[in-house]
């Protein structure tokens, strides 16, 4: 059951320049259309000491709206092993840029190539913020790498979680 259905737009502009003469600016507006999260693990049972968290982003398609605009629906999911919860963020990224860049992006998509890194980065950052908030509300570990290490350098690492101890 969805926790919320809402439209939210976050604009992120990025410039990619090979030289000062050819600077391409892509503007990515991310709109979240659906949030859902479900905790499967009972609240009265302590969470396991090790949990693996898998994050998946899927750009569902690429639809050219105008000469300089494409729309990319996405689904961002977080799953846990053992199965303690499932989180999902759905929405669309609207990418605006130079006509030639938009045409190239559409052609690359037809060849089953991934969208530009700017689109993935924008969608990931907005969706990650949403799932962090949902994970706190559900009382489950957030999908974050351990502090001090870049996320790219880590394989799927188990999250060590200690339950709070109360003394009376």
């Amino acid at each position: 059951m969805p926790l919320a259905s809402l439209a939210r737009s976050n604009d992120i502009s990025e410039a990619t320049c090979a030289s000062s003469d050819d600077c391409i600016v892509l503007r990515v507006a991310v709109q979240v259309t659906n949030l859902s999260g479900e905790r499967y693990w009972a609240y009265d049972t302590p969470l396991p000491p090790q949990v693996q968290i898998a994050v998946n982003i899927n750009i569902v398609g690429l639809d050219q709206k105008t000469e300089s605009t494409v729309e990319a629906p996405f689904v961002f999911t977080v799953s846990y092993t053992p199965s303690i919860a499932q989180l999902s963020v759905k929405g669309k990224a609207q990418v605006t840029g130079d006509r030639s860049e938009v045409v190239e992006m559409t052609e690359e998509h037809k060849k089953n190539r991934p969208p530009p890194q700017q689109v993935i980065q924008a969608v990931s950052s907005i969706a990650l913020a949403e799932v962090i908030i949902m994970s706190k509300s559900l009382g489950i570990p957030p999908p974050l790498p351990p502090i001090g290490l870049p996320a790219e350098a880590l394989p799927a690492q188990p999250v060590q979680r200690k339950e709070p101890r109360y003394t009376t």
Side-chain angles (χ1 to χ4, degrees), residues 21-148:
D21 293 333
D22 69 344
C23 188
I24 299 168
V25 176
L26 288 178
R27 180 180 170 144
V28 183
V30 178
Q31 298 170 335
V32 173
T33 57
N34 183 277
L35 299 170
S36 65
E38 187 173 359
R39 179 180 169 134
Y40 306 127
W41 205 266
Y43 277 98
D44 59 352
T45 306
L47 290 174
Q50 289 196 346
V51 176
Q52 290 188 351
I53 302 172
V55 176
N56 185 34
I57 181 169
N58 187 9
I59 304 294
V60 181
L62 205 60
D63 185 26
Q64 191 160 356
K65 294 296 186 182
T66 67
E67 283 188 355
S68 60
T69 305
V70 293
E71 195 170 89
F74 67 88
V75 178
F76 184 95
T77 57
V78 178
S79 54
Y80 294 81
T81 304
S83 185
I84 62 171
Q86 176 91 19
L87 307 173
S88 174
V89 178
K90 296 178 184 176
K92 59 185 174 181
Q94 189 172 42
V95 185
T96 307
D98 182 58
R99 181 186 177 279
S100 62
E101 187 71 7
V102 169
V103 168
E104 181 183 338
M105 204 182 316
T106 305
E107 291 301 316
E108 291 292 309
H109 176 70
K110 288 177 184 173
K111 296 176 186 174
N112 289 326
R113 297 208 176 110
Q117 192 63 34
Q118 298 96 317
V119 177
I120 300 292
Q121 184 77 35
V123 169
S124 295
S125 63
I126 300 302
L128 189 60
E130 298 292 345
V131 296
I132 289 170
I133 293 167
M134 282 194 287
S135 67
K136 177 160 181 4
S137 298
L138 294 172
I140 56 176
L144 296 173
I147 295 173

